PDB file of all heavy atoms in Angstrom:
ATOM      1  N   VAL A   1      29.999-261.812  75.804  1.00 98.00           N
ATOM      2  CA  VAL A   1      30.269-260.486  76.462  1.00 98.00           C
ATOM      3  C   VAL A   1      31.743-260.214  76.479  1.00 98.00           C
ATOM      4  O   VAL A   1      32.088-258.979  76.283  1.00 98.00           O
ATOM      5  CB  VAL A   1      29.541-260.464  77.847  1.00 98.00           C
ATOM      6  CG1 VAL A   1      29.868-259.217  78.592  1.00 98.00           C
ATOM      7  CG2 VAL A   1      28.082-260.533  77.675  1.00 98.00           C
ATOM      8  N   LEU A   2      32.525-261.036  76.924  1.00 98.00           N
ATOM      9  CA  LEU A   2      33.917-260.861  77.020  1.00 98.00           C
ATOM     10  C   LEU A   2      34.599-260.506  75.560  1.00 98.00           C
ATOM     11  O   LEU A   2      35.352-259.532  75.425  1.00 98.00           O
ATOM     12  CB  LEU A   2      34.726-262.030  77.503  1.00 98.00           C
ATOM     13  CG  LEU A   2      34.663-262.305  79.025  1.00 98.00           C
ATOM     14  CD1 LEU A   2      35.295-263.602  79.404  1.00 98.00           C
ATOM     15  CD2 LEU A   2      35.294-261.217  79.751  1.00 98.00           C
ATOM     16  N   ASP A   3      34.156-261.222  74.520  1.00 98.00           N
ATOM     17  CA  ASP A   3      34.728-260.997  73.200  1.00 98.00           C
ATOM     18  C   ASP A   3      34.284-259.497  72.784  1.00 98.00           C
ATOM     19  O   ASP A   3      35.109-258.839  72.210  1.00 98.00           O
ATOM     20  CB  ASP A   3      34.090-261.956  72.230  1.00 98.00           C
ATOM     21  CG  ASP A   3      34.689-263.402  72.369  1.00 98.00           C
ATOM     22  OD1 ASP A   3      35.745-263.472  73.027  1.00 98.00           O
ATOM     23  OD2 ASP A   3      34.139-264.294  71.885  1.00 98.00           O
ATOM     24  N   ILE A   4      33.107-259.176  72.989  1.00 98.00           N
ATOM     25  CA  ILE A   4      32.590-257.857  72.550  1.00 98.00           C
ATOM     26  C   ILE A   4      33.333-256.714  73.367  1.00 98.00           C
ATOM     27  O   ILE A   4      33.573-255.731  72.883  1.00 98.00           O
ATOM     28  CB  ILE A   4      31.133-257.637  72.540  1.00 98.00           C
ATOM     29  CG1 ILE A   4      30.520-258.746  71.548  1.00 98.00           C
ATOM     30  CG2 ILE A   4      30.702-256.307  72.208  1.00 98.00           C
ATOM     31  CD1 ILE A   4      29.027-258.878  71.739  1.00 98.00           C
ATOM     32  N   THR A   5      33.464-257.015  74.682  1.00 98.00           N
ATOM     33  CA  THR A   5      34.210-256.069  75.584  1.00 98.00           C
ATOM     34  C   THR A   5      35.529-255.840  75.062  1.00 98.00           C
ATOM     35  O   THR A   5      36.022-254.740  74.979  1.00 98.00           O
ATOM     36  CB  THR A   5      34.186-256.485  76.976  1.00 98.00           C
ATOM     37  OG1 THR A   5      32.833-256.685  77.474  1.00 98.00           O
ATOM     38  CG2 THR A   5      34.956-255.519  77.972  1.00 98.00           C
ATOM     39  N   GLN A   6      36.331-256.866  74.594  1.00 98.00           N
ATOM     40  CA  GLN A   6      37.676-256.816  74.167  1.00 98.00           C
ATOM     41  C   GLN A   6      37.642-256.010  72.798  1.00 98.00           C
ATOM     42  O   GLN A   6      38.488-255.027  72.675  1.00 98.00           O
ATOM     43  CB  GLN A   6      38.215-258.223  73.754  1.00 98.00           C
ATOM     44  CG  GLN A   6      39.500-258.332  73.278  1.00 98.00           C
ATOM     45  CD  GLN A   6      40.013-259.724  73.065  1.00 98.00           C
ATOM     46  OE1 GLN A   6      39.180-260.601  73.060  1.00 98.00           O
ATOM     47  NE2 GLN A   6      41.249-259.846  72.784  1.00 98.00           N
ATOM     48  N   GLU A   7      36.617-256.144  71.952  1.00 98.00           N
ATOM     49  CA  GLU A   7      36.560-255.325  70.777  1.00 98.00           C
ATOM     50  C   GLU A   7      36.355-253.921  71.062  1.00 98.00           C
ATOM     51  O   GLU A   7      36.963-252.964  70.494  1.00 98.00           O
ATOM     52  CB  GLU A   7      35.381-255.834  69.851  1.00 98.00           C
ATOM     53  CG  GLU A   7      35.687-257.166  69.277  1.00 98.00           C
ATOM     54  CD  GLU A   7      34.487-257.711  68.602  1.00 98.00           C
ATOM     55  OE1 GLU A   7      33.407-257.078  68.406  1.00 98.00           O
ATOM     56  OE2 GLU A   7      34.494-258.939  68.228  1.00 98.00           O
ATOM     57  N   GLU A   8      35.514-253.570  72.076  1.00 98.00           N
ATOM     58  CA  GLU A   8      35.252-252.289  72.482  1.00 98.00           C
ATOM     59  C   GLU A   8      36.491-251.589  72.988  1.00 98.00           C
ATOM     60  O   GLU A   8      36.786-250.280  72.809  1.00 98.00           O
ATOM     61  CB  GLU A   8      34.006-252.165  73.341  1.00 98.00           C
ATOM     62  CG  GLU A   8      32.726-252.484  72.809  1.00 98.00           C
ATOM     63  CD  GLU A   8      32.262-251.734  71.560  1.00 98.00           C
ATOM     64  OE1 GLU A   8      32.726-250.530  71.399  1.00 98.00           O
ATOM     65  OE2 GLU A   8      31.465-252.285  70.855  1.00 98.00           O
ATOM     66  N   CYS A   9      37.214-252.311  73.739  1.00 98.00           N
ATOM     67  CA  CYS A   9      38.439-251.712  74.366  1.00 98.00           C
ATOM     68  C   CYS A   9      39.404-251.325  73.246  1.00 98.00           C
ATOM     69  O   CYS A   9      40.012-250.279  73.270  1.00 98.00           O
ATOM     70  CB  CYS A   9      39.214-252.826  75.231  1.00 98.00           C
ATOM     71  SG  CYS A   9      38.425-253.087  76.842  1.00 98.00           S
ATOM     72  N   ALA A  10      39.504-252.162  72.141  1.00 98.00           N
ATOM     73  CA  ALA A  10      40.383-251.865  71.052  1.00 98.00           C
ATOM     74  C   ALA A  10      39.850-250.516  70.271  1.00 98.00           C
ATOM     75  O   ALA A  10      40.613-249.653  69.878  1.00 98.00           O
ATOM     76  CB  ALA A  10      40.384-252.940  70.082  1.00 98.00           C
ATOM     77  N   GLU A  11      38.522-250.370  70.230  1.00 98.00           N
ATOM     78  CA  GLU A  11      37.927-249.221  69.659  1.00 98.00           C
ATOM     79  C   GLU A  11      38.248-247.959  70.474  1.00 98.00           C
ATOM     80  O   GLU A  11      38.435-246.880  69.911  1.00 98.00           O
ATOM     81  CB  GLU A  11      36.516-249.431  69.328  1.00 98.00           C
ATOM     82  CG  GLU A  11      36.234-250.514  68.298  1.00 98.00           C
ATOM     83  CD  GLU A  11      34.748-250.866  68.024  1.00 98.00           C
ATOM     84  OE1 GLU A  11      33.887-250.121  68.581  1.00 98.00           O
ATOM     85  OE2 GLU A  11      34.543-251.776  67.300  1.00 98.00           O
ATOM     86  N   VAL A  12      38.194-248.155  71.743  1.00 98.00           N
ATOM     87  CA  VAL A  12      38.598-246.894  72.568  1.00 98.00           C
ATOM     88  C   VAL A  12      40.089-246.555  72.368  1.00 98.00           C
ATOM     89  O   VAL A  12      40.385-245.367  72.230  1.00 98.00           O
ATOM     90  CB  VAL A  12      38.354-247.252  74.112  1.00 98.00           C
ATOM     91  CG1 VAL A  12      38.992-246.221  75.080  1.00 98.00           C
ATOM     92  CG2 VAL A  12      36.804-247.392  74.496  1.00 98.00           C
ATOM     93  N   ILE A  13      40.929-247.633  72.294  1.00 98.00           N
ATOM     94  CA  ILE A  13      42.407-247.299  72.059  1.00 98.00           C
ATOM     95  C   ILE A  13      42.511-246.560  70.669  1.00 98.00           C
ATOM     96  O   ILE A  13      43.241-245.638  70.609  1.00 98.00           O
ATOM     97  CB  ILE A  13      43.093-248.641  71.936  1.00 98.00           C
ATOM     98  CG1 ILE A  13      43.217-249.238  73.321  1.00 98.00           C
ATOM     99  CG2 ILE A  13      44.579-248.420  71.408  1.00 98.00           C
ATOM    100  CD1 ILE A  13      43.681-250.648  73.391  1.00 98.00           C
ATOM    101  N   VAL A  14      41.845-246.915  69.623  1.00 98.00           N
ATOM    102  CA  VAL A  14      41.977-246.337  68.328  1.00 98.00           C
ATOM    103  C   VAL A  14      41.431-244.868  68.477  1.00 98.00           C
ATOM    104  O   VAL A  14      42.105-243.969  67.964  1.00 98.00           O
ATOM    105  CB  VAL A  14      41.116-246.988  67.288  1.00 98.00           C
ATOM    106  CG1 VAL A  14      41.009-246.247  65.936  1.00 98.00           C
ATOM    107  CG2 VAL A  14      41.746-248.414  66.969  1.00 98.00           C
ATOM    108  N   ALA A  15      40.320-244.660  69.224  1.00 97.00           N
ATOM    109  CA  ALA A  15      39.774-243.282  69.333  1.00 97.00           C
ATOM    110  C   ALA A  15      40.810-242.306  70.022  1.00 97.00           C
ATOM    111  O   ALA A  15      41.010-241.277  69.699  1.00 97.00           O
ATOM    112  CB  ALA A  15      38.408-243.402  70.077  1.00 97.00           C
ATOM    113  N   ILE A  16      41.486-242.941  71.114  1.00 98.00           N
ATOM    114  CA  ILE A  16      42.395-242.172  71.770  1.00 98.00           C
ATOM    115  C   ILE A  16      43.634-241.832  70.885  1.00 98.00           C
ATOM    116  O   ILE A  16      44.157-240.753  70.875  1.00 98.00           O
ATOM    117  CB  ILE A  16      42.800-242.875  73.219  1.00 98.00           C
ATOM    118  CG1 ILE A  16      41.625-242.847  74.084  1.00 98.00           C
ATOM    119  CG2 ILE A  16      44.068-242.201  73.746  1.00 98.00           C
ATOM    120  CD1 ILE A  16      41.743-243.777  75.333  1.00 98.00           C
ATOM    121  N   SER A  17      43.985-242.835  70.107  1.00 98.00           N
ATOM    122  CA  SER A  17      45.163-242.619  69.228  1.00 98.00           C
ATOM    123  C   SER A  17      44.858-241.499  68.206  1.00 98.00           C
ATOM    124  O   SER A  17      45.754-240.668  67.931  1.00 98.00           O
ATOM    125  CB  SER A  17      45.449-243.892  68.480  1.00 98.00           C
ATOM    126  OG  SER A  17      46.423-243.778  67.612  1.00 98.00           O
ATOM    127  N   LYS A  18      43.654-241.455  67.716  1.00 96.00           N
ATOM    128  CA  LYS A  18      43.213-240.405  66.814  1.00 96.00           C
ATOM    129  C   LYS A  18      43.330-239.020  67.380  1.00 96.00           C
ATOM    130  O   LYS A  18      43.815-238.074  66.736  1.00 96.00           O
ATOM    131  CB  LYS A  18      41.763-240.643  66.158  1.00 96.00           C
ATOM    132  CG  LYS A  18      41.638-241.837  65.491  1.00 96.00           C
ATOM    133  CD  LYS A  18      42.531-241.917  64.190  1.00 96.00           C
ATOM    134  CE  LYS A  18      42.186-243.125  63.306  1.00 96.00           C
ATOM    135  NZ  LYS A  18      43.025-243.304  62.228  1.00 96.00           N
ATOM    136  N   ILE A  19      42.942-238.935  68.684  1.00 98.00           N
ATOM    137  CA  ILE A  19      43.057-237.697  69.389  1.00 98.00           C
ATOM    138  C   ILE A  19      44.503-237.267  69.627  1.00 98.00           C
ATOM    139  O   ILE A  19      44.778-236.170  69.427  1.00 98.00           O
ATOM    140  CB  ILE A  19      42.305-237.784  70.739  1.00 98.00           C
ATOM    141  CG1 ILE A  19      40.745-237.879  70.491  1.00 98.00           C
ATOM    142  CG2 ILE A  19      42.659-236.531  71.588  1.00 98.00           C
ATOM    143  CD1 ILE A  19      40.012-238.164  71.782  1.00 98.00           C
ATOM    144  N   SER A  20      45.283-238.225  69.907  1.00 98.00           N
ATOM    145  CA  SER A  20      46.698-237.931  70.111  1.00 98.00           C
ATOM    146  C   SER A  20      47.395-237.419  68.831  1.00 98.00           C
ATOM    147  O   SER A  20      48.228-236.597  68.856  1.00 98.00           O
ATOM    148  CB  SER A  20      47.481-239.118  70.625  1.00 98.00           C
ATOM    149  OG  SER A  20      47.089-239.414  71.949  1.00 98.00           O
ATOM    150  N   ARG A  21      46.909-238.100  67.713  1.00 97.00           N
ATOM    151  CA  ARG A  21      47.605-237.736  66.417  1.00 97.00           C
ATOM    152  C   ARG A  21      47.015-236.469  65.826  1.00 97.00           C
ATOM    153  O   ARG A  21      47.712-235.677  65.222  1.00 97.00           O
ATOM    154  CB  ARG A  21      47.432-238.847  65.490  1.00 97.00           C
ATOM    155  CG  ARG A  21      48.189-240.162  65.874  1.00 97.00           C
ATOM    156  CD  ARG A  21      48.030-241.331  64.910  1.00 97.00           C
ATOM    157  NE  ARG A  21      48.496-240.930  63.576  1.00 97.00           N
ATOM    158  CZ  ARG A  21      48.005-241.502  62.446  1.00 97.00           C
ATOM    159  NH1 ARG A  21      47.057-242.456  62.545  1.00 97.00           N
ATOM    160  NH2 ARG A  21      48.537-241.119  61.298  1.00 97.00           N
ATOM    161  N   PHE A  22      45.660-236.312  65.892  1.00 96.00           N
ATOM    162  CA  PHE A  22      45.061-235.236  65.077  1.00 96.00           C
ATOM    163  C   PHE A  22      44.357-234.119  65.905  1.00 96.00           C
ATOM    164  O   PHE A  22      43.856-233.197  65.292  1.00 96.00           O
ATOM    165  CB  PHE A  22      44.122-235.860  64.181  1.00 96.00           C
ATOM    166  CG  PHE A  22      44.687-236.929  63.243  1.00 96.00           C
ATOM    167  CD1 PHE A  22      44.372-238.238  63.412  1.00 96.00           C
ATOM    168  CD2 PHE A  22      45.677-236.526  62.267  1.00 96.00           C
ATOM    169  CE1 PHE A  22      44.913-239.201  62.549  1.00 96.00           C
ATOM    170  CE2 PHE A  22      46.247-237.509  61.429  1.00 96.00           C
ATOM    171  CZ  PHE A  22      45.784-238.774  61.556  1.00 96.00           C
ATOM    172  N   GLY A  23      44.177-234.268  67.294  1.00 97.00           N
ATOM    173  CA  GLY A  23      43.460-233.328  68.044  1.00 97.00           C
ATOM    174  C   GLY A  23      42.046-233.822  68.433  1.00 97.00           C
ATOM    175  O   GLY A  23      41.463-234.543  67.659  1.00 97.00           O
ATOM    176  N   ILE A  24      41.642-233.297  69.514  1.00 98.00           N
ATOM    177  CA  ILE A  24      40.336-233.737  70.049  1.00 98.00           C
ATOM    178  C   ILE A  24      39.223-233.299  69.276  1.00 98.00           C
ATOM    179  O   ILE A  24      38.138-233.973  69.263  1.00 98.00           O
ATOM    180  CB  ILE A  24      40.167-233.444  71.598  1.00 98.00           C
ATOM    181  CG1 ILE A  24      39.088-234.207  72.151  1.00 98.00           C
ATOM    182  CG2 ILE A  24      40.091-231.952  71.788  1.00 98.00           C
ATOM    183  CD1 ILE A  24      39.125-234.336  73.655  1.00 98.00           C
ATOM    184  N   ASP A  25      39.295-232.030  68.632  1.00 96.00           N
ATOM    185  CA  ASP A  25      38.124-231.575  67.962  1.00 96.00           C
ATOM    186  C   ASP A  25      38.217-231.658  66.431  1.00 96.00           C
ATOM    187  O   ASP A  25      37.456-231.177  65.699  1.00 96.00           O
ATOM    188  CB  ASP A  25      37.972-230.064  68.369  1.00 96.00           C
ATOM    189  CG  ASP A  25      37.448-229.876  69.756  1.00 96.00           C
ATOM    190  OD1 ASP A  25      36.605-230.695  70.182  1.00 96.00           O
ATOM    191  OD2 ASP A  25      38.140-229.074  70.471  1.00 96.00           O
ATOM    192  N   ASN A  26      39.290-232.467  66.025  1.00 96.00           N
ATOM    193  CA  ASN A  26      39.370-232.655  64.514  1.00 96.00           C
ATOM    194  C   ASN A  26      38.264-233.592  63.969  1.00 96.00           C
ATOM    195  O   ASN A  26      37.766-234.394  64.726  1.00 96.00           O
ATOM    196  CB  ASN A  26      40.765-233.491  64.391  1.00 96.00           C
ATOM    197  CG  ASN A  26      40.986-233.716  62.905  1.00 96.00           C
ATOM    198  OD1 ASN A  26      41.248-232.862  62.019  1.00 96.00           O
ATOM    199  ND2 ASN A  26      41.046-234.993  62.437  1.00 96.00           N
ATOM    200  N   ILE A  27      37.891-233.221  62.757  1.00 94.00           N
ATOM    201  CA  ILE A  27      36.817-234.052  62.088  1.00 94.00           C
ATOM    202  C   ILE A  27      37.485-234.674  60.831  1.00 94.00           C
ATOM    203  O   ILE A  27      37.977-233.812  60.026  1.00 94.00           O
ATOM    204  CB  ILE A  27      35.681-233.195  61.758  1.00 94.00           C
ATOM    205  CG1 ILE A  27      34.996-232.587  62.949  1.00 94.00           C
ATOM    206  CG2 ILE A  27      34.633-234.043  60.982  1.00 94.00           C
ATOM    207  CD1 ILE A  27      33.855-231.573  62.624  1.00 94.00           C
ATOM    208  N   LYS A  28      37.520-235.896  60.770  1.00 83.00           N
ATOM    209  CA  LYS A  28      38.012-236.579  59.469  1.00 83.00           C
ATOM    210  C   LYS A  28      37.047-236.224  58.432  1.00 83.00           C
ATOM    211  O   LYS A  28      35.888-236.405  58.588  1.00 83.00           O
ATOM    212  CB  LYS A  28      38.169-238.087  59.776  1.00 83.00           C
ATOM    213  CG  LYS A  28      38.968-238.743  58.865  1.00 83.00           C
ATOM    214  CD  LYS A  28      39.226-240.233  59.093  1.00 83.00           C
ATOM    215  CE  LYS A  28      39.873-241.004  58.109  1.00 83.00           C
ATOM    216  NZ  LYS A  28      40.086-242.366  58.455  1.00 83.00           N
ATOM    217  N   PRO A  29      37.563-235.961  57.232  1.00 84.00           N
ATOM    218  CA  PRO A  29      36.719-235.575  56.042  1.00 84.00           C
ATOM    219  C   PRO A  29      35.511-236.521  55.792  1.00 84.00           C
ATOM    220  O   PRO A  29      34.514-236.038  55.526  1.00 84.00           O
ATOM    221  CB  PRO A  29      37.608-235.592  54.932  1.00 84.00           C
ATOM    222  CG  PRO A  29      38.971-235.256  55.455  1.00 84.00           C
ATOM    223  CD  PRO A  29      38.975-235.912  56.793  1.00 84.00           C
ATOM    224  N   ASP A  30      35.805-237.716  55.917  1.00 85.00           N
ATOM    225  CA  ASP A  30      34.599-238.787  55.658  1.00 85.00           C
ATOM    226  C   ASP A  30      33.828-239.114  56.903  1.00 85.00           C
ATOM    227  O   ASP A  30      32.989-240.022  56.837  1.00 85.00           O
ATOM    228  CB  ASP A  30      35.221-239.994  54.893  1.00 85.00           C
ATOM    229  CG  ASP A  30      36.252-240.718  55.825  1.00 85.00           C
ATOM    230  OD1 ASP A  30      36.876-240.182  56.744  1.00 85.00           O
ATOM    231  OD2 ASP A  30      36.371-241.935  55.566  1.00 85.00           O
ATOM    232  N   LYS A  31      34.093-238.509  57.997  1.00 82.00           N
ATOM    233  CA  LYS A  31      33.358-238.838  59.362  1.00 82.00           C
ATOM    234  C   LYS A  31      32.458-237.644  59.767  1.00 82.00           C
ATOM    235  O   LYS A  31      33.031-236.530  59.669  1.00 82.00           O
ATOM    236  CB  LYS A  31      34.331-239.267  60.322  1.00 82.00           C
ATOM    237  CG  LYS A  31      35.220-240.401  59.944  1.00 82.00           C
ATOM    238  CD  LYS A  31      34.478-241.651  60.017  1.00 82.00           C
ATOM    239  CE  LYS A  31      35.378-242.872  59.695  1.00 82.00           C
ATOM    240  NZ  LYS A  31      34.739-244.078  59.575  1.00 82.00           N
ATOM    241  N   PRO A  32      31.320-237.880  60.233  1.00 91.00           N
ATOM    242  CA  PRO A  32      30.465-236.749  60.656  1.00 91.00           C
ATOM    243  C   PRO A  32      30.746-236.257  62.125  1.00 91.00           C
ATOM    244  O   PRO A  32      30.273-235.195  62.558  1.00 91.00           O
ATOM    245  CB  PRO A  32      29.060-237.332  60.705  1.00 91.00           C
ATOM    246  CG  PRO A  32      29.240-238.833  60.996  1.00 91.00           C
ATOM    247  CD  PRO A  32      30.629-239.095  60.191  1.00 91.00           C
ATOM    248  N   LYS A  33      31.624-236.988  62.842  1.00 95.00           N
ATOM    249  CA  LYS A  33      31.872-236.660  64.279  1.00 95.00           C
ATOM    250  C   LYS A  33      33.316-236.151  64.522  1.00 95.00           C
ATOM    251  O   LYS A  33      34.170-236.536  63.887  1.00 95.00           O
ATOM    252  CB  LYS A  33      31.638-237.882  65.184  1.00 95.00           C
ATOM    253  CG  LYS A  33      30.116-238.362  65.018  1.00 95.00           C
ATOM    254  CD  LYS A  33      29.962-239.608  65.889  1.00 95.00           C
ATOM    255  CE  LYS A  33      28.549-240.164  65.668  1.00 95.00           C
ATOM    256  NZ  LYS A  33      28.349-241.374  66.332  1.00 95.00           N
ATOM    257  N   THR A  34      33.388-235.365  65.516  1.00 97.00           N
ATOM    258  CA  THR A  34      34.715-234.950  65.985  1.00 97.00           C
ATOM    259  C   THR A  34      35.353-236.204  66.643  1.00 97.00           C
ATOM    260  O   THR A  34      34.689-237.131  67.070  1.00 97.00           O
ATOM    261  CB  THR A  34      34.669-233.772  67.047  1.00 97.00           C
ATOM    262  OG1 THR A  34      34.062-234.145  68.244  1.00 97.00           O
ATOM    263  CG2 THR A  34      33.979-232.537  66.317  1.00 97.00           C
ATOM    264  N   ASN A  35      36.599-236.150  66.881  1.00 97.00           N
ATOM    265  CA  ASN A  35      37.356-237.143  67.658  1.00 97.00           C
ATOM    266  C   ASN A  35      36.755-237.289  69.070  1.00 97.00           C
ATOM    267  O   ASN A  35      36.694-238.265  69.632  1.00 97.00           O
ATOM    268  CB  ASN A  35      38.768-236.997  67.626  1.00 97.00           C
ATOM    269  CG  ASN A  35      39.444-237.257  66.328  1.00 97.00           C
ATOM    270  OD1 ASN A  35      38.889-237.994  65.485  1.00 97.00           O
ATOM    271  ND2 ASN A  35      40.588-236.571  66.069  1.00 97.00           N
ATOM    272  N   ARG A  36      36.416-236.074  69.620  1.00 97.00           N
ATOM    273  CA  ARG A  36      35.842-236.057  70.947  1.00 97.00           C
ATOM    274  C   ARG A  36      34.509-236.724  71.004  1.00 97.00           C
ATOM    275  O   ARG A  36      34.276-237.609  71.889  1.00 97.00           O
ATOM    276  CB  ARG A  36      35.547-234.651  71.300  1.00 97.00           C
ATOM    277  CG  ARG A  36      34.949-234.485  72.761  1.00 97.00           C
ATOM    278  CD  ARG A  36      34.507-232.980  73.051  1.00 97.00           C
ATOM    279  NE  ARG A  36      35.507-232.027  72.661  1.00 97.00           N
ATOM    280  CZ  ARG A  36      36.391-231.489  73.490  1.00 97.00           C
ATOM    281  NH1 ARG A  36      36.524-231.821  74.724  1.00 97.00           N
ATOM    282  NH2 ARG A  36      37.219-230.629  73.017  1.00 97.00           N
ATOM    283  N   GLU A  37      33.611-236.579  70.112  1.00 97.00           N
ATOM    284  CA  GLU A  37      32.324-237.272  69.922  1.00 97.00           C
ATOM    285  C   GLU A  37      32.485-238.785  69.726  1.00 97.00           C
ATOM    286  O   GLU A  37      31.880-239.586  70.362  1.00 97.00           O
ATOM    287  CB  GLU A  37      31.498-236.660  68.785  1.00 97.00           C
ATOM    288  CG  GLU A  37      31.071-235.238  69.067  1.00 97.00           C
ATOM    289  CD  GLU A  37      30.555-234.557  67.905  1.00 97.00           C
ATOM    290  OE1 GLU A  37      31.054-234.889  66.684  1.00 97.00           O
ATOM    291  OE2 GLU A  37      29.565-233.732  68.080  1.00 97.00           O
ATOM    292  N   HIS A  38      33.568-239.089  68.929  1.00 96.00           N
ATOM    293  CA  HIS A  38      33.811-240.487  68.584  1.00 96.00           C
ATOM    294  C   HIS A  38      34.362-241.242  69.922  1.00 96.00           C
ATOM    295  O   HIS A  38      33.912-242.315  70.252  1.00 96.00           O
ATOM    296  CB  HIS A  38      34.816-240.690  67.479  1.00 96.00           C
ATOM    297  CG  HIS A  38      35.007-242.087  67.092  1.00 96.00           C
ATOM    298  ND1 HIS A  38      34.178-242.883  66.538  1.00 96.00           N
ATOM    299  CD2 HIS A  38      36.158-242.857  67.338  1.00 96.00           C
ATOM    300  CE1 HIS A  38      34.620-243.993  66.256  1.00 96.00           C
ATOM    301  NE2 HIS A  38      35.869-244.095  66.741  1.00 96.00           N
ATOM    302  N   LEU A  39      35.189-240.628  70.699  1.00 98.00           N
ATOM    303  CA  LEU A  39      35.677-241.091  71.925  1.00 98.00           C
ATOM    304  C   LEU A  39      34.497-241.323  72.952  1.00 98.00           C
ATOM    305  O   LEU A  39      34.391-242.382  73.558  1.00 98.00           O
ATOM    306  CB  LEU A  39      36.707-240.120  72.559  1.00 98.00           C
ATOM    307  CG  LEU A  39      37.238-240.676  73.991  1.00 98.00           C
ATOM    308  CD1 LEU A  39      37.963-242.016  73.918  1.00 98.00           C
ATOM    309  CD2 LEU A  39      38.201-239.666  74.495  1.00 98.00           C
ATOM    310  N   ALA A  40      33.628-240.284  73.026  1.00 98.00           N
ATOM    311  CA  ALA A  40      32.426-240.485  73.919  1.00 98.00           C
ATOM    312  C   ALA A  40      31.598-241.685  73.509  1.00 98.00           C
ATOM    313  O   ALA A  40      31.143-242.435  74.353  1.00 98.00           O
ATOM    314  CB  ALA A  40      31.584-239.159  73.861  1.00 98.00           C
ATOM    315  N   GLU A  41      31.428-241.895  72.221  1.00 98.00           N
ATOM    316  CA  GLU A  41      30.603-242.934  71.754  1.00 98.00           C
ATOM    317  C   GLU A  41      31.322-244.304  72.136  1.00 98.00           C
ATOM    318  O   GLU A  41      30.525-245.235  72.613  1.00 98.00           O
ATOM    319  CB  GLU A  41      30.482-242.888  70.233  1.00 98.00           C
ATOM    320  CG  GLU A  41      29.595-243.953  69.639  1.00 98.00           C
ATOM    321  CD  GLU A  41      29.502-243.787  68.098  1.00 98.00           C
ATOM    322  OE1 GLU A  41      28.869-242.787  67.658  1.00 98.00           O
ATOM    323  OE2 GLU A  41      30.163-244.636  67.382  1.00 98.00           O
ATOM    324  N   GLU A  42      32.573-244.403  71.861  1.00 98.00           N
ATOM    325  CA  GLU A  42      33.275-245.705  72.200  1.00 98.00           C
ATOM    326  C   GLU A  42      33.344-245.946  73.688  1.00 98.00           C
ATOM    327  O   GLU A  42      33.202-247.033  74.107  1.00 98.00           O
ATOM    328  CB  GLU A  42      34.602-245.651  71.430  1.00 98.00           C
ATOM    329  CG  GLU A  42      34.686-245.564  70.081  1.00 98.00           C
ATOM    330  CD  GLU A  42      33.965-246.687  69.414  1.00 98.00           C
ATOM    331  OE1 GLU A  42      33.590-247.755  70.030  1.00 98.00           O
ATOM    332  OE2 GLU A  42      33.677-246.500  68.129  1.00 98.00           O
ATOM    333  N   LEU A  43      33.574-244.974  74.500  1.00 98.00           N
ATOM    334  CA  LEU A  43      33.476-245.087  75.931  1.00 98.00           C
ATOM    335  C   LEU A  43      32.095-245.414  76.431  1.00 98.00           C
ATOM    336  O   LEU A  43      31.961-246.321  77.372  1.00 98.00           O
ATOM    337  CB  LEU A  43      33.956-243.790  76.581  1.00 98.00           C
ATOM    338  CG  LEU A  43      35.447-243.402  76.582  1.00 98.00           C
ATOM    339  CD1 LEU A  43      35.754-242.079  77.156  1.00 98.00           C
ATOM    340  CD2 LEU A  43      36.231-244.518  77.241  1.00 98.00           C
TER     341      LEU A  43
END
């Protein structure tokens, strides 16, 4: 549980970084979700 929690924390960090770099409603060409949706999923 601790190991997976650590991984999820890292994924939240990446999702936040993408929002900071590209905007909250940006959609990466190869991804079906906005950065906002991805953040919600990771949270």
Side-chain angles (χ1 to χ4, degrees):
V1 170
L2 282 175
D3 289 344
I4 296 170
T5 302
Q6 182 177 10
E7 291 171 8
E8 294 302 338
C9 287
E11 291 174 11
V12 168
I13 291 168
V14 170
I16 291 169
S17 177
K18 298 295 183 188
I19 290 170
S20 293
R21 291 179 64 206
F22 304 111
I24 196 159
D25 293 315
N26 183 64
I27 299 174
K28 192 173 176 182
D30 62 334
K31 302 288 182 181
K33 297 178 182 171
T34 65
N35 288 336
R36 179 190 314 266
E37 291 166 328
H38 185 66
L39 176 62
E41 181 180 289
E42 296 303 344
L43 288 171

